[in-house]
Amino acid sequence: MSSLPIIATLLHYARRTPDRPCIVEDRHTITYAELAGAAAGWAARFQALGVQRGDRIALALPNTPAFIAAYFGAQLAGAAVVLINPQYRHTELNHLLSDSAPTIVVATDDNEAILSAAMPANRPYVLKPSAELCGAPITDPTSFDPPAAHEMALIAYTSGTTGRAKGAVHTHASLTANCDAVLNAWQWTEADRLLLMLPLFHVHGLGVGVHGTIRSGASLELHPRFDAEIALQRMNDPAITLFFGVPTMYVRLIEVARRSEVPKHHIRLFVSGSAPLSPQTFADFAALFGQQILERYGMTETGMNLTNPYYGERRPGSVGMPFPGQEARIVDRVTGQPLPAGQIGEIQVRGPHLFQGYWRNPTATAAVFTADGWFNTGDLGFVDDDGYFHITGRSHELIISGGFNIYPREVEEVLAQHPAVVECAVYGQPDPDLGEIPVAAVVTNEQPVTADELIAHCRQYLAAYKRPRRIRFVSALPRNALGKVQRHLLAGEASYHESSL
Ligand code: MCA
Ligand code: AMP
């Protein structure tokens, strides 16, 4: 099974252990044979709609078994999947659809934003509530040739510093390499069941949660989204052995467990990633749940890069060491030369898990790879004397709120379209629940406008998590001698030119 695509692993288990549970959702259990059959049903449907090898199929679906079946069905038909947050609005959708140019867009019948944004060329396929749990009839998967390892499997969009999202292209080989490193490091076996409450449209939920489950022949319990109370209830089930979350989820689990009670759980591994886990949350969780959270570090372009050990010391505030088969180092940001332990520089990673490049964007791809194959993550950090990596910051202006990424420029462009806004700057402010929240400093003209109106304006054009949680009306933005806005000053000095508006 060494470098087989994940879809081929699914077909393998469907033959070998057809009746083994794969997805548990609500009161339904979907076996390996049923998921593979439904994926084949989707593949047949996509082919009937004219999908060719190498085409793109966009999925804008909520967390349902149909998402997972359509995902593997698209790959079985030879297409690459484009992941779309079903909450995206026109600004985000227009860019994603015109850039990835999918042949088909799959969305639910209530998602008006995507159904109206899809152009005739990317025909919307409307998923209506269907009698089949996985959204397609069970079909014989042996009539399809699984894709080859080098073929394109996934395009996951990740915002660039310019504010325009770029599609990170993964082949089947990079996804499999990623998955095998994770299985090995975290001792994932077919006896495991993952409580999966992360969104499937990001690499965390899909590339780690779903791929890891299928690749190890294990099972997952799928939820529409995270809810701390439901999570605590479900942890009572002895079948559940794994939980993966972003730090906000752990903050909320602690908060609810303190108010109610800590469940008697059988979870052998709690993993945190996508944003920094505070040592306080690590300690509080260990005291309450009797388990140390394993923190790891990943990226859409690379999948998983660094992990604290499964056996051995899980060091709070550290993201651990490279996964098996991968390399990581710290380099000087100017010279690109490796730095000794203790010195802060840029984190670079290398290995078979890396993406192929940005979709139709060789310039952006060239900018992030060195000649000898190292990927510049844009994250800053250092290695301590024991080889544990620590992240200290980012070289770009990303805000991570609840594990969702927000690029200031994208929000600023939308705010600037409001007739009352003269100029604005968006920056991150620490938040005990979400890690960071986006705040906008806004200079307005004489037209009266309230903070609520500006926030509502952003909600109209962008996914809700990107809306500024606070608007500061200021008389001017801090700029350096070159006229560039100094976001760090806004972030550090709450009273900067605060006006009385
Ligand atoms: C929340 N929202 C969602 C979801 N969760 N939209 C779609 N799918 C979801 N699963 C919406 C909310 O409805 C809300 O919109 C808006 O986002 C902001 O929510 P907020 O008030 O901030 O909080 P929340 O709704 O309580 O959600 C907190 C959360 C959520 C549960 C922690 O942020 C979450 O699921 N985060 C996980 C993100 C993730 O998986 N990131 C991985 C990317 P409205 O106000 O309209 O209701 S990084 C990655 O993949 C790399 C590889 C890595 O290292 O992992
Ligand atoms: P994305 O582009 O959505 O894949 O987000 C990747 C970014 O999330 C990384 O570049 C980091 O900045 C951040 N990230 C992921 N895991 C961690 C972690 N454990 N600690 C700190 N930052 C993290």
Side-chain angles (χ1 to χ4, degrees):
M1 296 229 304
S2 56
S3 66
L4 279 184
I6 313 282
I7 171 64
T9 315
L10 171 62
L11 302 187
H12 164 85
Y13 284 120
R15 279 192 307 274
R16 212 188 70 177
T17 50
D19 299 328
R20 177 177 272 280
C22 181
I23 304 173
V24 179
E25 196 234 15
D26 209 357
R27 265 153 279 121
H28 303 285
T29 297
I30 297 157
T31 64
Y32 271 86
E34 284 166 339
L35 182 64
W42 277 100
R45 178 180 286 164
F46 290 138
Q47 287 187 344
L49 289 165
V51 167
Q52 309 279 329
R53 283 197 113 72
D55 279 1
R56 277 80 55 214
I57 293 178
L59 298 186
L61 294 174
N63 275 19
T64 54
F67 181 117
I68 300 177
Y71 172 76
F72 287 119
Q75 294 182 344
L76 200 52
V81 173
V82 178
L83 299 175
I84 296 186
N85 179 341
Q87 295 222 333
Y88 276 172
R89 318 292 298 170
H90 278 240
T91 309
E92 294 131 330
L93 292 172
N94 288 342
H95 170 62
L96 254 61
L97 294 177
S98 61
D99 193 64
S100 64
T103 319
I104 309 277
V105 177
V106 187
T108 48
D109 58 356
D110 56 356
N111 195 334
E112 282 162 30
I114 186 132
L115 295 177
S116 61
M119 286 155 279
N122 28 76
R123 282 174 296 154
Y125 180 87
V126 183
L127 180 65
K128 301 211 172 68
S130 108
E132 292 100 12
L133 194 56
C134 294
I138 302 286
T139 304
D140 178 11
T142 56
S143 48
F144 294 90
D145 286 330
H150 68 270
E151 287 182 80
M152 191 167 72
L154 177 69
I155 306 184
Y157 275 80
T158 173
S159 298
T161 39
T162 57
R164 285 275 164 266
K166 297 180 296 241
V169 176
H170 277 279
T171 61
H172 291 280
S174 61
L175 296 178
T176 300
N178 231 302
C179 204
D180 287 351
V182 169
L183 262 52
N184 181 341
W186 300 348
Q187 306 281 296
W188 204 332
T189 74
E190 60 181 21
D192 282 310
R193 177 165 296 171
L194 170 68
L195 179 59
L196 184 52
M197 295 185 147
L198 288 155
L200 295 178
F201 51 78
H202 278 311
V203 166
H204 194 168
L206 181 71
V208 190
V210 174
H211 290 177
T213 297
I214 304 288
R215 187 81 179 154
S216 55
S219 58
L220 61 85
E221 180 175 301
L222 186 64
H223 287 257
R225 60 168 59 194
F226 176 76
D227 177 299
E229 262 129 39
I230 296 174
L232 290 178
Q233 277 167 23
R234 294 304 305 131
M235 283 176 192
N236 272 313
D237 184 339
I240 308 275
T241 60
L242 300 171
F243 180 81
F244 302 162
V246 299
T248 301
M249 296 179 181
Y250 288 103
V251 169
R252 293 187 187 175
L253 286 173
I254 291 167
E255 195 183 284
V256 176
R258 277 187 178 145
R259 269 194 273 121
S260 46
E261 66 179 312
V262 181
K264 220 186 272 120
H265 68 83
H266 295 77
I267 298 189
R268 67 168 181 89
L269 181 62
F270 289 93
V271 179
S272 175
S274 310
L277 179 74
S278 78
Q280 188 63 50
T281 304
F282 178 93
D284 291 349
F285 192 86
L288 276 171
F289 288 76
Q291 286 261 349
Q292 292 190 328
I293 299 169
L294 180 152
E295 185 173 9
R296 58 65 180 173
Y297 158 72
M299 262 185 102
T300 299
E301 289 91 332
T302 63
M304 299 300 101
N305 293 313
L306 296 165
T307 180
N308 271 279
Y310 183 72
Y311 300 110
E313 186 196 342
R314 297 180 192 170
R315 196 164 283 189
S318 158
V319 289
M321 289 167 256
F323 275 87
Q326 304 181 5
E327 297 171 273
R329 66 181 188 182
I330 305 288
V331 298
D332 185 286
R333 287 174 68 192
V334 179
T335 64
Q337 288 308 306
L339 291 173
Q343 286 197 30
I344 294 178
E346 179 165 2
I347 303 175
Q348 286 187 337
V349 294
R350 187 163 71 172
H353 62 305
L354 298 186
F355 75 136
Q356 208 177 38
Y358 294 110
W359 172 248
R360 291 183 175 163
N361 197 340
T363 313
T365 305
V368 292
F369 281 106
T370 67
D372 51 353
W374 289 95
F375 172 73
N376 299 314
T377 62
D379 289 308
L380 306 177
F382 67 92
V383 190
D384 65 24
D385 290 334
D386 303 321
Y388 283 72
F389 283 69
H390 298 249
I391 297 179
T392 54
R394 294 182 281 268
S395 62
H396 41 79
E397 287 157 336
L398 172 68
I399 300 166
I400 307 186
S401 189
F404 285 123
N405 287 4
I406 303 165
Y407 275 88
R409 174 87 176 268
E410 190 183 20
V411 185
E412 286 163 7
E413 280 177 9
V414 166
L415 269 175
Q417 283 162 15
H418 192 282
V421 173
V422 177
E423 57 175 0
C424 61
V426 171
Y427 58 94
Q429 182 181 291
D431 180 77
D433 177 43
L434 292 166
E436 288 178 296
I437 48 168
V439 174
V442 178
V443 180
T444 56
N445 53 27
E446 59 293 338
Q447 181 175 324
V449 68
T450 64
D452 285 349
E453 281 163 0
L454 290 177
I455 292 170
H457 170 80
C458 292
R459 270 195 98 114
Q460 194 185 340
Y461 294 101
L462 296 170
Y465 66 88
K466 296 179 187 170
R467 71 184 185 274
R469 303 303 168 106
R470 234 187 94 212
I471 303 279
R472 286 174 54 202
F473 291 101
V474 297
S475 50
L477 297 177
R479 291 182 183 278
N480 65 14
L482 300 170
K484 195 171 165 351
V485 175
Q486 294 172 295
R487 285 198 184 79
H488 64 280
L489 289 185
L490 285 165
E493 200 185 318
S495 62
Y496 181 83
H497 282 192
E498 194 110 39
S499 85
S500 56
L501 267 179

